[in-house]
Amino acid sequence: AVASSSASMAGARVAARPSSRAGARVARTVVAAARPTWSPGVPVPSHLDGSLPGDYGFDPLGLGSTPESLAAFREAEVIHCRWAMLGTAGILATELGGFGNWFDAPKWAFTGEHATYLGVDLGPTTLFNTVAVQFVLMGGAEYFRSKEENAETRIYPGGGFDPLGWGKGADVEKLKKKEIANGRLAMVSILGYWAQQAATGMTPLAAWGAHVADPWHVNVATSNTVAIPYLHPESVGQAGGAFWQAALPVWYPGL
């Protein structure tokens, strides 16, 4: 009877193992399916477990495959996101306020004209002096920031850099996610501003105004003849030579 009971208990344990394993597989599947990724069905790298703000499993080149590189790229991305958001706001505010445009604003450094800031004349300022001041101010700030050994504190210092105290609230993780998402968008927008200026010679608000005024004839498919040449039939065939003769000097002045 004892042998029979032991055998039945062992059988119960053996029978229970497949069920528990199946349950674990189901649980893992549910967790994987519930996690948002940058593209549905794309395998997520093992080093991106979803614990970082804005982690959607995007690392096709494996740049963050080691803990050290992942921490370094994460810190660099957040810092660049903040600079890009400030730059985007400055570009739009300058043009919106009628103080010129972002592309022409720094030309004083090469022409010898007086520098201005929001319409205020700053007097003659040379490029060398500007670079020297920037080197001291930004280099000093980065020096003191790098002395902090805690990676989280280096990225989110709080204190005077959080005057509204948002970093102490219950929604801090949600705010971190919003910051990285808006920062990535800002970095893409900065790249777009550069490409737009090089291709069309128009600033962001000027291009937006032209598009709103005539959206069917002023858009990426009809007006941007340099950035997306394949959308234009005149860029190929017998007429292609004339098209490229007109397009290339826009990208490469003096060619």
Side-chain angles (χ1 to χ4, degrees):
V2 173
S4 175
S5 175
S6 299
S8 63
M9 291 176 64
R13 286 196 297 269
V14 171
R17 285 174 184 170
S19 177
S20 61
R21 290 176 180 174
R25 285 196 298 269
V26 171
R28 284 194 296 269
T29 302
V30 171
V31 171
R35 178 190 172 184
T37 59
W38 69 278
S39 180
V42 175
V44 177
S46 59
H47 58 277
L48 297 179
D49 57 5
S51 60
L52 297 177
D55 176 10
Y56 296 101
F58 182 80
D59 188 12
L61 300 180
L63 299 177
S65 56
T66 65
E68 295 78 11
S69 62
L70 180 60
F73 277 113
R74 177 208 177 189
E75 182 175 345
E77 182 183 35
V78 173
I79 299 302
H80 281 80
C81 280
R82 291 168 180 168
W83 278 116
M85 287 188 285
L86 286 173
T88 299
I91 288 172
L92 297 178
T94 299
E95 188 176 357
L96 187 62
F99 300 111
N101 63 77
W102 72 275
F103 192 77
D104 294 331
K107 286 186 176 180
W108 52 263
F110 306 97
T111 61
E113 299 175 359
H114 287 197
T116 60
Y117 181 76
L118 297 180
V120 179
D121 191 337
L122 302 180
T125 307
T126 65
L127 179 61
F128 175 81
N129 292 341
T130 303
V131 172
V133 171
Q134 290 290 327
F135 180 82
V136 173
L137 294 179
M138 297 185 66
E142 281 299 298
Y143 169 75
F144 288 109
R145 192 178 70 85
S146 64
K147 292 179 65 176
E148 173 60 52
E149 297 182 357
N150 187 291
E152 284 295 315
T153 306
R154 280 201 309 271
I155 301 174
Y156 304 104
F161 294 97
D162 185 20
L164 300 180
W166 288 351
K168 301 177 182 178
D171 295 334
V172 61
E173 293 302 322
K174 184 183 296 184
L175 293 175
K176 289 180 180 179
K177 186 176 180 179
K178 289 182 177 180
E179 179 187 41
I180 198 72
N182 285 280
R184 289 168 178 169
L185 181 61
M187 288 192 287
V188 174
S189 71
I190 290 289
L191 178 61
Y193 294 161
W194 276 101
Q196 182 182 60
Q197 182 72 37
T200 66
M202 301 178 69
T203 55
L205 294 184
W208 173 249
H211 169 71
V212 172
D214 191 4
W216 293 107
H217 296 93
V218 183
N219 53 63
V220 70
T222 60
S223 62
N224 200 348
T225 58
V226 179
I228 311 182
Y230 58 82
L231 290 177
H232 297 266
E234 63 268 23
S235 65
V236 296
Q238 296 181 351
F243 173 84
W244 290 110
Q245 286 180 358
L248 288 178
V250 178
W251 280 105
Y252 307 101
L255 183 65

